[in-house]
C-alpha cells in the first residue's frame, strides 16, 4: 500500500519530487505524467495507492494535481492489479450528499454512522456506503471480513467489488446521477446491506442508491415543510385495518380553510411509502409551494398491492380491487378526518406504472368523483393479469366526459421498456380525439422519471379554481 | 424426503397403517410410537420428513396425532440427520401473527409476500421469514440458493440453520416470546434479510424478530387509532433541519382542546422511530385510551443520538447536547404547531437506557419545565462518555424540587446487565429520601421490558390534573 498525501505540497516541482520518492521512480522518470502512467501500468503484483489531502492542495496545485489524478485513474483502468483509492473530505460542492432529501429513508433520517458508547470520534475510514472520489466518481465501500466475492447488480449489469483494503470491498460505479434499485450479492447470495438505504420494491425491502449530484427540486430546502402522517383506516374491501400516508402541507394546522386532495399511487411491488421515501414527493411539494408554483393540497398515498385469498387459501394480488377500496374506504376516511373539499373539481388522482392503470380505471369508473388525472410511465389500458377487461375505457370516447376532465396528463420515459404500450395509448387517444397533456422524459421506467412527472404535474392541479375557502 | 399428510385420515388405526406404509416399517413395528422412535433414531443417512394436514385431522385424531408429532420431534432432537418439517396453515389461535402491531415495520405495513405480475397465486412454500410449527415452536425459513452456511445470532447465542429443502434454510428457535434484535450470517458475512423485519439499532438498520404469542396490550385492536407524524424542525443546537415523530391521539383533529405532551426518548444506537416501530407505543396508547386508562396526550419522539464534529472534522456522539436541543428547539416547535398545554403540570419526559440519562439530565436542569419523569431500564446518573458530570443530580436532594415532581418513575428488568447501576440509584434515592415509583420487570435490557414500562407509565401521567380545556 502506498499512501500519497498531497496536503502539505506547495508547488508543481515539490509534487513531482514527492511522487518520485513515493512511487520509487528512477530520477529520469519522475517529472512526467506519461512516465508515471507507464511505470504503474507495467508494474507486476498488486498495488494499492491511497490518495489523500486533495482538498487542501488543490488551490495551490490546480490542474497539475488533476493531471496526476487522471494519470492514476487511466493507469488503474488498464491495470488489473492496481487500485487507486482517493480519500477526501466532502467538499463544499457536495453539500447535497447530506441533504435529508437525499439521505432520509423509511427507517432513518440521517446516514448511519457507527459510533461507540464511549463517545470516541468515529474514524473516517470506518465509514461505509455510497461515496464519491475526488473527481466526483461514485463508488460503494462496504466491509465484509469473510467474503470471497462481492457484486452489485443494477438493472442488467453486475459490478464486481475489489477488496481494496483488508476486509473492505469497493466498486466504482460508472453511472449517471439518479435513483437505482440495487441487488447486492455476497458470495453469490442476495443480501441487504444496512449502509445502503433500504426502500420497498419487488414486494420486499430493497436496497437502493441515490447517485449525485442531485437536482435541486427534490432536495430539502430552507422552506416551510409539510408533515407526513401514517393513518389507519378500516377497509370494507380487504376486511382489514389498512394504512395510508398523508402529506399535509405547511399551514394546514394554522389555517381554517378546506384543501383539495391528490390521491397518488405507487407501482407494482412498491407500497404506500414509496412516493415519500423514494419519490421525495414531500420535498418536491414543499419547494413548489415555497415558489408559489402549486396550490396547497393534501397528497394521500395508499397501498395499491391489494392482496386477496383464493378459494384454496392462497395469497393473490388483485390490483383491480384498488379503485373500490379508494372510493369506498379511503376517500370517506380522509374526508371525515381532514378539512378537504369534497368535490370532483378539487379531487385528483395520479399514479405510476401499475398505479397509472389503477388511476385510469378509477377515473373512468368514477368520473363523477375526479376532475384531474395523471398517468406517469403510464398506461390507460390495464395490462396486468390474464383477463384484462378494458371496457372501462369506453367512456373516454365520450366528448362530455373528456370536457369534464380539467387535466389528463400522460407521460413516459423515452427509454422505457413499455414505450410500445404508451404508443398504443397515443393511437387510442388520436382515434378517439381524447385531449391530453403528453410529456416525454429522458429515462427509463424508474423513480428518476416519476419525480419529474410529479414535479411537472403538481403545478397544473387545481389552478384557475376557487382559492381555498 | 418423506411427506406425511394426515389430512384424510379418519382413525387411529388408519393413521398407524399410513405411518407403517410411509415410513416403510415392518408390520410388527407399525403400531407403536416407541417403535417409530427407535426406527427413526437408528436410521442412517439423511431423512427429511414433511408433515402436513394437521389442522384438518386434529379434530378426529386428537391426542393420537400429538403423540406421533411428539415422537417425531423427540427422534429429531437426538438424530443429527433427521429433519422434521411441519407445514401448517395458520390456525385461528395465531391471529396475532398477522396483527399490524406485530407485523408493521418502518418500511412496510404488511409482511412482504413475493408476487408475480401475472397475478398467479403465491405458493405457500415460497414464503420466507419467521414461522411457527404446528406445536407453536418458532422457526425461521429463508432462501439462500448459493449459501454454504447460515447462522442467526441472538444475544450471545449463535443458531445454525439447516438446508432442509434445496436452497431453503431453516432454524428452530428455542426462545421465549418477545422482541429480539438479530444478526444473520450467511457464509460468515453479517447481512440483512428482507423477510425479517428491519428496524434501527446499533446505529444502523438491523433485523429483528417478534416471537409470539404476542400479548394483547400492543396488538392493534378495533379501537380508534392515533396517527403518527414525521415533523421537520430547525435545530439551533445541531445547525441542521432535524426530524421528530409525533403520536397524535384519536380525536385531536375533531376536538378543540389543548393536550398535554410526553417527550419520549429511545436508547443508544436507536433513533426517533424506535418507540413506534419497535416499541409499538402507538398501539399501546390507542388501547389504553380505548379502555379509559390514560389521558389523551401527544407523544413526541426525537433523535437523542446528537452527532457533532470535533475540531479535526471527525464525527462524534454528544448525547448530553440533547437536553438543550429539546428545550431550545423541539418544545418551542411543538408548542407553536400543536394545541398543547405549555405548562410543567402537563409536560412529561421519559426515556429508556441512554434516553433515561437524557431524561434525568433534562428534568433536573429544567425542573421549571417538567412535572413528570420516567426512567426505563433507567439511570439517574449519566454513565456514558468519559467525563461524566453528574452535578445536575444535586437538585434531586432538594425537598421542594422533589415535591414539585408529580411523578418520578424508575424501572429495571431483573436480568438487566446494568442492574448494579439501578441499585446504586436506589441507594442514592434512599440516602437522599427521594420518593419514586419503583418497578421491576422480568427481563433484560430490551424492548420487552420497555413496552411494559410505557404501558405502566402512561396511565399515571396527568391524572388528577384539570381535564382538557
Amino acid at each position: 500500500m502506498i499512501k500519497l498525501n498531497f496536503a502539505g505540497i506547495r508547488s508543481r516541482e515539490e509534487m513531482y519530487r514527492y511522487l518520485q520518492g513515493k512511487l520509487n521512480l528512477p530520477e529520469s522518470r519522475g517529472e512526467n505524467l506519461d512516465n508515471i502512467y507507464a511505470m504503474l501500468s507495467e508494474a507486476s503484483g498488486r498495488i494499492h495507492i491511497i490518495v489523500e489531502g486533495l482538498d487542501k492542495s488543490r488551490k495551490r496545485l490546480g490542474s497539475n494535481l488533476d493531471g496526476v489524478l487522471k494519470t492514476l485513474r487511466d493507469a488503474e483502468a488498464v491495470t488489473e492489479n492496481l487500485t487507486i483509492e482517493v480519500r477526501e473530505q466532502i467538499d463544499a460542492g457536495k453539500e447535497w450528499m447530506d441533504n435529508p432529501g437525499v439521505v432520509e429513508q423509511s427507517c432513518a433520517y440521517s446516514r448511519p454512522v457507527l459510533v461507540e458508547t464511549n463517545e470516541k470520534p468515529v474514524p473516517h475510514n470506518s465509514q461505509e456506503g455510497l461515496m464519491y472520489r475526488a473527481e466526483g466518481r461514485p463508488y460503494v465501500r462496504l466491509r465484509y471480513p469473510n467474503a470471497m466475492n462481492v457484486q452489485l447488480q443494477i438493472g442488467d449489469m453486475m459490478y464486481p467489488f475489489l477488496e481494496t483494503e483488508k476486509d473492505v470491498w469497493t466498486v466504482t460505479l460508472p453511472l449517471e446521477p439518479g435513483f437505482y434499485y440495487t441487488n447486492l450479492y455476497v458470495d453469490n447470495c442476495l443480501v441487504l446491506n444496512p449502509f445502503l438505504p433500504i426502500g420497498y420494491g419487488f414486494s420486499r425491502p430493497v436496497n437502493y442508491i441515490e447517485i449525485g449530484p442531485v437536482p435541486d427540486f427534490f432536495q430539502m430546502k430552507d422552506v416551510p415543510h409539510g408533515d407526513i402522517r401514517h393513518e389507519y383506516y378500516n377497509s370494507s374491501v380487504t376486511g382489514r385495518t389498512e394504512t395510508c400516508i398523508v402529506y399535509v402541507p405547511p399551514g394546514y394546522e394554522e389555517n381554517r380553510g378546506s384543501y383539495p386532495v391528490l390521491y397518488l399511487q405507487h407501482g407494482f411491488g412498491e407500497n404506500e411509502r414509496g412516493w415519500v421515501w423514494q419519490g421525495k414527493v414531500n420535498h418536491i411539494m414543499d419547494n413548489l409551494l415555497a415558489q408559489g408554483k402549486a396550490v396547497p393540497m393534501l397528497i394521500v398515498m395508499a397501498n395499491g398491492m391489494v392482496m386477496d385469498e383464493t378459494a384454496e387459501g392462497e395469497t393473490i394480488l388483485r390490483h383491480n380491487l384498488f379503485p373500490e377500496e379508494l372510493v369506498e374506504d379511503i376517500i370517506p376516511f380522509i374526508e371525515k378526518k381532514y378539512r378537504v373539499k369534497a368535490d370532483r373539481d378539487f379531487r385528483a388522482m395520479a399514479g405510476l406504472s401499475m398505479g397509472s392503470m389503477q388511476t385510469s380505471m378509477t377515473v373512468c369508473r368514477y368520473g363523477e368523483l375526479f376532475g384531474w388525472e395523471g398517468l406517469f410511465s403510464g398506461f390507460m389500458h390495464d395490462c396486468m393479469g390474464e383477463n384484462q377487461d378494458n371496457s372501462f375505457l369506453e367512456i373516454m370516447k365520450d366528448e362530455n366526459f373528456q370536457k369534464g376532465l380539467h387535466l389528463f396528463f400522460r407521460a413516459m420515459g423515452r427509454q422505457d421498456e413499455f414505450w410500445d404500450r404508451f404508443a398504443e395509448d397515443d393511437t387510442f387517444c388520436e382515434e378517439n380525439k381524447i385531449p391530453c397533456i403528453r410529456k416525454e422524459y429522458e429515462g427509463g421506467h424508474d423513480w428518476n422519471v416519476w419525480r419529474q412527472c410529479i414535479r411537472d404535474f403538481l403545478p397544473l392541479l387545481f389552478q384557475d379554481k376557487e382559492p381555498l375557502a
Side-chain angles (χ1 to χ4, degrees), chain A:
Chain A
M1 196 188 71
I2 300 168
K3 193 178 270 195
L4 299 179
N5 188 337
F6 292 88
I9 296 175
R10 312 195 144 261
S11 69
R12 181 178 177 282
E13 291 67 34
E14 196 181 331
M15 181 181 79
Y16 277 112
R17 276 202 306 279
Y18 177 76
L19 286 171
Q20 189 184 324
K22 278 288 189 173
L23 298 178
N24 217 359
L25 301 174
E27 266 203 37
S28 60
R29 297 186 68 177
E31 299 177 12
N32 184 302
L33 291 176
D34 289 345
N35 287 341
I36 293 176
Y37 175 86
M39 178 270 179
L40 288 173
S41 57
E42 287 158 12
S44 63
R46 181 164 276 216
I47 304 181
H48 180 196
I49 298 180
I50 294 175
V51 179
E52 290 181 334
L54 295 181
D55 272 357
K56 293 184 175 154
S57 54
R58 174 156 287 130
K59 225 171 161 176
R60 285 192 289 266
L61 299 174
S63 64
N64 294 304
L65 191 63
D66 293 335
V68 170
L69 213 57
K70 184 174 182 310
T71 302
L72 295 176
R73 288 289 179 213
D74 288 348
E76 183 188 30
V78 299
T79 314
E80 196 176 353
N81 289 319
L82 174 63
T83 306
I84 309 292
E85 184 190 345
V86 178
R87 292 186 188 164
E88 198 171 18
Q89 307 243 359
I90 297 162
D91 61 40
K94 295 207 189 83
E95 260 172 22
W96 48 264
M97 259 194 75
D98 283 324
N99 188 283
V102 177
V103 171
E104 186 169 14
Q105 55 180 317
S106 53
C107 70
Y109 180 69
S110 301
R111 187 176 286 115
V113 176
L114 292 182
V115 290
E116 299 291 328
T117 44
N118 62 10
E119 306 217 325
K120 285 273 161 45
V122 184
H124 280 306
N125 64 6
S126 73
Q127 306 291 325
E128 299 179 57
L130 176 67
M131 302 180 182
Y132 295 86
R133 301 199 192 281
E135 327 88 279
R137 274 206 283 181
Y139 70 106
V140 172
R141 182 176 194 273
L142 302 174
R143 279 179 60 83
Y144 282 109
N146 296 308
M148 303 294 287
N149 177 319
V150 182
Q151 295 173 288
L152 194 66
Q153 186 191 7
I154 299 179
D156 297 333
M157 289 293 294
M158 195 67 99
Y159 299 95
F161 285 67
L162 286 176
E163 192 175 4
T164 45
E165 290 165 67
K166 181 168 161 26
D167 301 342
V168 173
W169 297 76
T170 59
V171 61
T172 300
L173 297 173
L175 294 171
E176 292 298 305
F179 175 102
Y180 299 87
Y181 282 123
T182 63
N183 278 332
L184 182 71
Y185 290 87
V186 175
D187 291 2
N188 301 311
C189 293
L190 177 58
V191 302
L192 298 182
N193 183 288
F195 298 101
L196 302 177
I198 297 169
Y200 203 89
F202 309 97
S203 300
R204 61 172 175 86
V206 61
N207 277 135
Y208 62 87
I209 52 174
E210 180 77 53
I211 291 185
V214 169
D216 259 17
F217 75 94
F218 65 82
Q219 287 189 48
M220 177 185 267
K221 299 286 175 186
D222 187 15
V223 298
H225 302 299
D227 57 83
I228 309 296
R229 304 187 185 178
H230 298 257
E231 293 280 5
Y232 301 95
Y233 63 92
N234 290 324
S235 169
S236 62
V237 171
T238 69
R240 305 198 322 153
T241 302
E242 301 288 352
T243 193
C244 63
I245 306 285
V246 184
Y247 166 86
V248 178
Y252 177 88
E253 294 294 338
E254 295 83 350
N255 297 339
R256 298 260 56 84
S258 291
Y259 287 70
V261 185
L262 165 64
Y263 294 89
L264 181 63
Q265 288 302 116
H266 59 84
F268 176 84
E270 295 165 341
N271 67 18
E272 70 285 347
R273 299 165 203 216
W275 266 110
V276 171
W277 310 118
Q278 289 149 220
K280 312 295 182 187
V281 66
N282 52 327
H283 297 302
I284 294 172
M285 190 54 162
D286 284 351
N287 294 338
L288 288 171
L289 288 171
Q291 294 163 22
K293 289 185 180 167
V295 168
M297 67 187 83
L298 300 191
I299 304 176
V300 176
M301 296 151 278
N303 179 23
M305 294 285 285
V306 183
M307 304 306 288
D308 196 11
E309 262 193 21
T310 64
E312 292 74 37
E314 290 179 306
T315 304
I316 188 168
L317 171 67
R318 303 253 195 240
H319 76 289
N320 49 19
L321 286 181
F322 185 72
E324 194 183 331
E325 185 177 356
L326 178 64
V327 167
E328 298 290 328
D329 303 325
I330 301 171
I331 292 178
F333 171 80
I334 292 295
E335 298 191 347
K336 178 153 185 261
K337 180 151 186 181
Y338 289 90
R339 301 191 317 273
V340 298
K341 291 179 191 288
D343 180 325
R344 72 184 295 285
D345 287 344
F346 297 95
R347 209 185 279 115
M349 184 172 179
L352 70 90
S353 194
M354 179 186 81
S356 71
M357 299 177 204
Q358 293 169 322
T359 299
S360 182
M361 278 184 241
T362 307
V363 173
C364 287
R365 287 197 191 132
Y366 303 95
E368 72 282 9
L369 295 181
F370 297 91
W372 314 74
E373 177 177 5
L375 310 181
F376 309 154
S377 298
F379 311 106
M380 296 172 68
H381 290 76
D382 180 14
C383 29
M384 274 178 61
E386 300 206 324
N387 304 304
Q388 296 144 16
D389 174 8
N390 277 296
S391 58
F392 64 84
L393 277 175
E394 285 304 306
I395 200 164
M396 289 295 281
K397 301 175 182 171
D398 180 330
E399 204 180 332
N400 286 326
F401 185 88
Q402 293 168 9
K403 279 187 188 153
L405 268 186
H406 306 303
L407 173 67
F408 180 40
F409 179 104
R410 298 172 54 233
M412 189 62 92
R414 290 198 189 92
Q415 289 77 40
D416 195 307
E417 63 206 284
F418 300 112
W419 179 268
D420 288 351
R421 290 188 180 160
F422 189 64
E424 284 164 26
D425 282 348
D426 280 342
T427 307
F428 183 83
C429 285
E430 278 159 32
E431 285 177 359
N432 297 292
K433 300 197 177 58
I434 301 170
C436 66
I437 290 190
R438 181 187 179 283
K439 294 251 187 195
E440 296 180 11
Y441 296 93
E442 278 306 300
H445 200 73
D446 61 36
W447 282 104
N448 304 304
V449 166
W450 303 328
R451 288 166 176 170
Q452 294 177 73
C453 288
I454 194 71
R455 175 200 62 194
D456 295 343
F457 180 72
L458 287 171
L460 304 176
L461 287 181
F462 314 122
Q463 299 286 12
D464 307 321
K465 295 285 148 196
E466 291 294 306
L468 296 190

